[in-house]
Amino acid sequence: MCYNNHMIYGNGVDNIELSRIENAVTRNPRFASRVLTDKEFAKYMTLTGSRQIEFLGGRWAAKEAYAKAYGTGIGGALSFQDMEVLPNALGAPKFIRHPFSDRGMAHVSISHSNLEAVAFVILESRE
């Protein structure tokens, strides 16, 4: 699909059960800092209770969805620290930093219920 010389490079979706995130945090207190960048972690620390788990789960899902859209998955070529998702001026999630930024834009939507978080990412190239 092409619009104004922009093309969809890739899209990805991911969901995670919030109970898995909560269990990971309980087992390993450093889990959140492995998934979140310093700025994301600072935001995470301002939250309490279930809101922390929702935030962390949403970032996990967004970064996994990004990795799918990018075509690499999380691993050798791409780590959780390579991407940063923070709220924009209206509070909506926005990729602040990501490896595709030199070629285009990353769009993200995150949603969560009391059971899971889900994220959808579209990478849009300028080419």
Side-chain angles (χ1 to χ4, degrees):
M1 177 188 281
C2 182
Y3 179 72
N4 289 339
N5 296 325
H6 291 224
M7 294 188 67
I8 301 298
Y9 174 85
N11 64 67
V13 65
D14 191 72
N15 69 308
I16 182 73
E17 294 173 358
L18 294 177
S19 62
R20 288 183 59 202
I21 296 293
E22 188 169 25
N23 289 339
V25 169
T26 301
R27 283 191 318 271
N28 180 1
R30 295 180 49 208
F31 176 78
S33 64
R34 290 179 48 222
V35 173
L36 303 173
T37 65
D38 290 344
K39 289 179 183 177
E40 290 168 331
F41 189 77
K43 174 68 176 165
Y44 169 82
M45 293 304 293
T46 68
L47 306 170
T48 58
S50 64
R51 186 64 193 111
Q52 269 192 329
I53 300 303
E54 291 167 355
F55 180 87
L56 180 55
R59 277 19 184 212
W60 171 281
K63 293 177 182 195
E64 287 282 352
Y66 181 98
K68 292 173 184 175
Y70 197 53
T72 61
I74 298 288
L78 189 64
S79 81
F80 286 110
Q81 296 297 313
D82 292 329
M83 300 158 280
E84 186 168 72
V85 180
L86 293 170
N88 69 12
L90 299 175
K94 178 181 179 181
F95 276 101
I96 303 302
R97 182 171 46 83
H98 59 92
F100 194 72
S101 63
D102 61 331
R103 295 188 290 175
M105 299 185 303
H107 306 279
V108 62
S109 181
I110 300 173
S111 185
H112 46 77
S113 68
N114 59 342
L115 299 177
E116 69 179 6
V118 63
F120 184 76
V121 171
I122 296 174
L123 298 181
E124 179 184 2
S125 74
R126 289 187 284 269
E127 303 161 2

